[in-house]
Amino acid sequence: MRDRVWIIAGLFLFLGLVTYPVWHDLVAHTASTPPVLAMPAHEKQCVAPLSYMRTSHMKLLLEWRQEVVREDKSKYVSFNGKVYNMSLSGACLSCHKQQEVCTRCHNYVGVRTPYCWNCHLDPAQIKRSAR
Amino acid sequence: MKITRKEFLKISGACLIGLSGKKALAVLDSSAKGQTSSASASKASKQLGMIVDTRKCIKDQGCTKCIEACTQAHNIPSFKDPAHQIKWIWKKPFDDLFSSYETQYLEPSLKDESTPVLCNHCDSPPCVRVCPTGATWKRKEDGIVMMDWHRCIGCRFCMAACPYGARSFNWVDPRPEIQNLNPDFPTRTKGVVEKCTFCSERLAKGQQPACVEACPEKALVFGDVNDPKSEIRQLLAKSYTLRRRPELGTGPNIYYLV
Amino acid sequence: MFMLEKAMTGSRRYWTWVGALVAVIAVAFGFYLYQLNYGLGLTGMSRNVSWGLYIGQFTFMVGVAASAVMVVLPYYLHSHKEFARMTILGEFLAVSSVTMCMMFIMIDMGKPMRVFNVILYPQFHSVMFWDMLSLSGYLVLNATITYFTLHAEQEDVHPPHWIKYIILLSIPWAISIHTVTGFLYSGLPGRLGWRTAIMAPRFLASAFAAGPALLILLCLLLRRQTGYDVGKKAISGLAVIVTYAMVINTFFILMEFFTAMYSHVPDLTVDFQDLYLGAVHTSLLPWGRTSIVLMAAALVLLLVPRWRRNEKSLVVACVLVFSSLWIDKGVCMVVGGFIPSPLGTITRYVPTLPELIITLGVWAVGALMVTVFYKIALSVEIAKEASYVPAYELAGAASATGLQAHASSAVTGPGASAAGQGNEGVSGKGGEEWHH
């Protein structure tokens, strides 16, 4: 049992490393707050209720993808009766002005950003870089 | 009648196999029917096709308006290296398209004349048959052979299967080589196969395909080949047309007026 | 559980070999990461030649994988006992080859992270879907067979009785994996060089020549390195199989040649012109011609009994068989089908250096698997034979275990005595005790 010292030391090191996300902010005097997203100016309601979008926006996007690409549909009737075009760049980005609405929260929560923007374009970004 | 558990299981197993065998045969039969006799089946529904009037196209030597329109509409990259080129519609000498008609006495004006080449949106597309994920399929409503770039795994079996060389693969990231980004259409990433989709996104808005609209000579005529009253059918009734490699049974829907 | 500890002890030579393989794999993996990042444009493939070395190697290795059946069939179906010590080696070669096949497919995918789509969205009309099923099933079958038979060997018991059915199933399954791979090519309407009913039979014939040739080479190498001898009869039996398969394969090629050259159909003749006759100049011409020369030389060495029975010339013959068929299937056949393109263009395909290194890496993985598996198998076999202690040494002690071990060991042939000397991986005590 002369290894007892090393084992306990190793355990403490492990615990320290594994709880790093918890004590980093305390030690470095930083505070991580969830990003505050600028809400769209002219629209008060998204295509679905906020609570639903919080939990299931990817589900909605995947449903849209299935219907637009594989079933040749284009119109989405939302819960409040408003009709939208099922389009990531067209509908989502018409209110949320930039695609970084996705990356900021995804980065904060540590969920890998889906590769949507590898193909899909942000019209506003193109216009800006064209200028 | 007493039956042992073993016998019961044997009989149930045989029944299950029999039933599923029947179903499997039905699936195979329908998929085979869908491919081979779809020539007759698709007569009922819409089948979009195109006439390429080589008589009108020839007049404008060096004209690439159709290619430019397609490139602009779909963010097609421009690669200098021919190995990596992405081509949805492009032009090749007539001889190359119709090598089986090739004769040394071919009318000179046809011989090396640039003729547009694009996906034929076949009645019985071999590319659809071989795709392991269903990333390419033939749409029932209008007969377009469509692409789903979310599902493509980049195996390039479709490229091997296409008898017309209509498909391109993104060997590298295409975005740096796109000249003018069109914000209304996505780009693609490296690792997926792409081809002409008859501008399905424009058709959905009631527009004509970009190449058809852009041709200054109106050499491209687009429409439903199953509709006897369509412009394309009337033109087909008036003139002799060629299709590429029809003996392969693919049922191409691009008709070349010579 | 997988007896991997048996592969963790070995001589300096063993560890040098394993180390070299791991080094090659590491370098190749680095290049693969670069390919993942940059895209398949890192290879020499192009819009016209959209399949190249990776798929060619896959096609060839499916053949090698299927060839285990050439040992399993005579042994299990026809009780040719001389193959007893070889079957496990053939089955392990099959497992390694199938793994290599799947790796070659994975590295060729444009979007490998989406490969699961083939299972999520199965398309029953796609030959590739059935190929995936077939290869996966074959891997599971052979892994199961080797696992249970080797464990049984080690514990000195009979393998479970149901393994017999798995082994019998693996025989038609082996045929199916290469048939379905042939269908990938022969079902395409547009490429006439591939669109021949004889494609799958040709694949099988060349598989049953190349695979057993490799197995012969591996067995002879094993005997030299470790003293494990599969037996002269097994080697000569397999050599006869290689000979017949090679003859049939050559016959098939000549059949294709006749149909193409006598009919004068340009789409058919172009392949032979590209690969062998040189009427159209492509980069494949030296490869095709070399392949034919090697095939002819191999046939001569195999058909003359005196040379086939001589082990030295048999080694040369097997090397010739393997390399000629590797060129034929792994290089010429796939790339040749893309030349000319559907619009008549002749595109040169030259694999790039990263492509070659990645390919070498997959080969190294296969070699490593074969090395580890054979080490484990040999440790079991040799330990069993070495644990035989003659009755007179066990004066008074219960010799039941020793006698039982002797009775149930498959073959105690001439190689058994050499086993004690050659193998340094097993506890030396057992080996040295056994003097025969």
Side-chain angles (χ1 to χ4, degrees), chain C residues 9-82:
Chain C
T9 57
S11 64
R12 169 181 289 260
R13 202 173 39 193
Y14 172 74
W15 282 112
T16 314
W17 171 242
V18 168
L21 288 176
V22 169
V24 171
I25 294 170
V27 170
F29 186 65
F31 273 99
Y32 177 65
L33 289 178
Y34 186 38
Q35 183 187 282
L36 264 184
N37 190 41
Y38 180 73
L40 280 162
L42 196 64
T43 66
M45 292 185 275
S46 59
R47 191 180 188 278
N48 285 335
V49 185
S50 45
W51 277 346
L53 197 60
Y54 295 156
I55 296 292
Q57 295 299 291
F58 151 74
T59 311
F60 180 69
M61 289 319 289
V62 175
V64 175
S67 66
V69 77
M70 282 290 112
V71 180
V72 169
L73 200 152
Y75 181 66
Y76 285 103
L77 272 189
H78 299 282
S79 302
H80 279 246
K81 291 293 175 217
E82 65 267 23

Side-chain angles (χ1 to χ4, degrees), chain A residues 65 69-70 117-121, chain B residues 134 148 150 175 182 187 189:
Chain A
R65 185 175 92 180
V69 178
R70 301 199 71 94
W117 304 109
N118 285 358
C119 293
H120 288 277
L121 295 168
Chain B
D148 179 358
H150 308 95
R175 271 202 184 171
N182 172 15
T187 65
T189 52

Side-chain angles (χ1 to χ4, degrees), chain C residues 169 198 232 421 428:
Chain C
L169 181 61
I198 213 182
K232 260 189 139 42
Q421 316 154 349

